[in-house]
Amino acid sequence: MADLGTVAGLTTPALLVEDTLLEANLATMSAALPGDRLRPHVKAHKCTALAARQHAAGHHGFTCATVREVEGMVAAGLGDDLLLANEVLDMRRLGALVAEGARVTAAVDSSQTIAAAVDGGVREVVIDVNVGLPRCGCPPEKAGDLAASARERGLAVRGVMGYEGHLMMVTPEAERTRLTEEAMKLLLAAHAEVGGDLVSAGGTGTHAVNTWASEIQAGSYALMDTAYGSLGLPFAQALSVLGTVISVSEGWAVADVGLKSLGMDHGNPTIEGASVWYCSDEHITFAPSTPGSVHVGDRVRVLPAHVDPTVALHEAMYLASGDRVLERWPVDLRGW
Ligand SMILES: Cc1ncc(COP(=O)(O)O)c(C=O)c1O
């Protein structure tokens, strides 16, 4: 295998994944939700090499957010059971994958998305139910009728999904549990009308408290971010954006990790031992806690507040152990 050199030799900004922390995160989740209890969401990492590790950990079904993610997973040989947990109005590319033998199930929440599945050649669907997040999903009381009309049109209805995304960051945990139970009661009521084996829901924030869904769609747990880090979940920050300090002034320093290499919708990133002031296109300005401790040319690890949009800005992530780069993993599920 090619020698990928050292972390110190990487061109920055670079997505860096600490191998031992990633492995620990995968093992912790697989112990909590073994096998088919977890349907890992690939939107958080967009990387088939990482998905292959999740597959090796025993999770054979995956959740996707885009048609491109589904295509990339099939191309990587990970198409055993893919759930597109999102509404799509042109399913012809998905139908082509089904025709080639991949198992693709699409979320539907309207007569239009049911028609798209039929017209596109997708044969299996789940009814997407709104459990409180104002996004996709039909009202729970409409799920039974939608399932009946999907079946009338020849589709197999595998069950329901309902993403309680508005509850992921609720604290304390007891309150998250209580609200998740309320949301899942809506989903289970819909499931009673719809039938099928799948009750698909959940994410990293509710993975431990959502005991009502048959499978959990968590994604961020593998790489993590500081927003989820604040919840005290049993997962470590395996991902950082490696930067180089390019300028030092009296009281602050600047590294080459800016808005174009960081998802900022959950707020400022974090640098250990420093306080981050702000980010601009190509720069992060921060004040080291110990004045004079940071020098031009130093490397800094910037921990993003939101993993998904951060990863999507990069072509590749580098798997590292200490200073050694073990592998370069393309972020190959980007695009649409
Ligand atoms: C449909 C769906 N399921 C599950 C998740 C959970 O992902 P995470 O584990 O990153 O919170 C998401 C995240 O946005 C989502 O959109």
Side-chain angles (χ1 to χ4, degrees):
M1 202 192 289
D3 181 10
L4 291 164
T6 62
V7 170
L10 288 174
T11 299
T12 57
L15 268 190
L16 201 60
V17 178
E18 200 53 52
D19 185 43
T20 49
L21 299 181
L22 170 64
E23 279 306 313
N25 289 348
L26 297 184
T28 300
M29 184 57 103
S30 296
L33 298 173
D36 293 344
R37 277 283 292 137
L38 182 74
R39 184 184 284 277
H41 208 319
V42 302
K43 74 193 270 286
H45 56 67
K46 286 189 177 284
C47 173
T48 55
L50 205 165
R53 291 248 180 136
Q54 293 171 311
H55 193 271
H59 313 295
H60 298 140
F62 286 88
T63 312
C64 300
T66 64
V67 172
R68 169 72 203 124
E69 288 174 3
V70 176
E71 284 178 337
M73 290 292 284
V74 172
L78 297 166
D80 300 357
D81 184 1
L82 301 174
L83 171 61
L84 180 58
N86 201 3
E87 274 60 24
V88 171
L89 285 169
D90 181 352
M91 297 206 200
R92 287 173 297 178
R93 281 159 61 201
L94 298 178
L97 300 171
V98 172
E100 286 165 20
R103 185 170 195 192
V104 178
T105 302
V108 293
D109 69 355
S110 64
S111 56
Q112 292 89 337
T113 41
I114 288 172
V118 174
D119 296 346
V122 169
R123 297 192 205 108
E124 296 183 285
V125 296
V126 292
I127 305 299
D128 190 359
V129 178
N130 178 355
V131 295
L133 175 72
R135 208 171 70 175
C136 299
C138 68
E141 61 280 7
K142 297 253 169 74
D145 285 349
L146 277 180
S149 93
R151 288 189 176 109
E152 269 165 29
R153 300 205 59 182
L155 298 172
V157 180
R158 294 184 67 190
V160 292
M161 73 156 268
Y163 173 54
E164 72 279 25
H166 56 307
L167 305 179
M168 292 298 147
M169 304 303 291
V170 172
T171 55
E173 188 183 286
E175 184 63 358
R176 202 180 324 139
T177 307
R178 189 183 72 74
L179 294 172
T180 299
E181 179 173 11
E182 273 181 15
M184 290 302 107
K185 274 186 183 156
L186 299 174
L187 189 59
L188 292 177
H191 182 238
E193 300 299 317
V194 168
D197 295 333
L198 294 186
V199 180
S200 196
T204 298
T206 59
H207 82 279
V209 304
N210 188 337
T211 51
W212 299 275
S214 65
E215 60 178 34
I216 299 294
Q217 305 176 352
S220 299
Y221 75 96
L223 297 175
M224 283 293 283
D225 54 37
T226 59
Y228 266 139
S230 69
L231 285 187
L233 300 170
F235 307 112
Q237 306 289 331
L239 177 92
S240 59
V241 183
L242 182 74
T244 305
V245 175
I246 55 171
S247 179
V248 176
S249 295
E250 187 75 36
W252 73 85
V254 178
D256 57 355
V257 179
L259 299 172
K260 291 179 186 170
S261 58
L262 280 168
M264 293 284 293
D265 59 314
H266 287 176
N268 271 347
T270 303
I271 298 175
E272 249 179 64
S275 93
V276 171
W277 286 4
Y278 73 102
C279 294
S280 50
D281 281 355
E282 312 290 354
H283 305 103
I284 183 167
T285 298
F286 62 100
S289 325
T290 313
S293 60
V294 171
H295 305 97
V296 172
D298 285 356
R299 292 300 174 102
V300 285
R301 294 188 183 206
V302 180
L303 300 176
H306 194 186
V307 60
D308 309 53
T310 299
V311 167
L313 292 168
H314 293 257
E315 279 173 19
M317 55 182 89
Y318 294 88
L319 190 71
S321 175
D323 191 43
R324 207 154 47 87
V325 177
L326 304 175
E327 287 177 47
R328 180 186 185 275
W329 286 350
V331 183
D332 53 348
L333 300 176
R334 296 192 307 163
W336 285 271

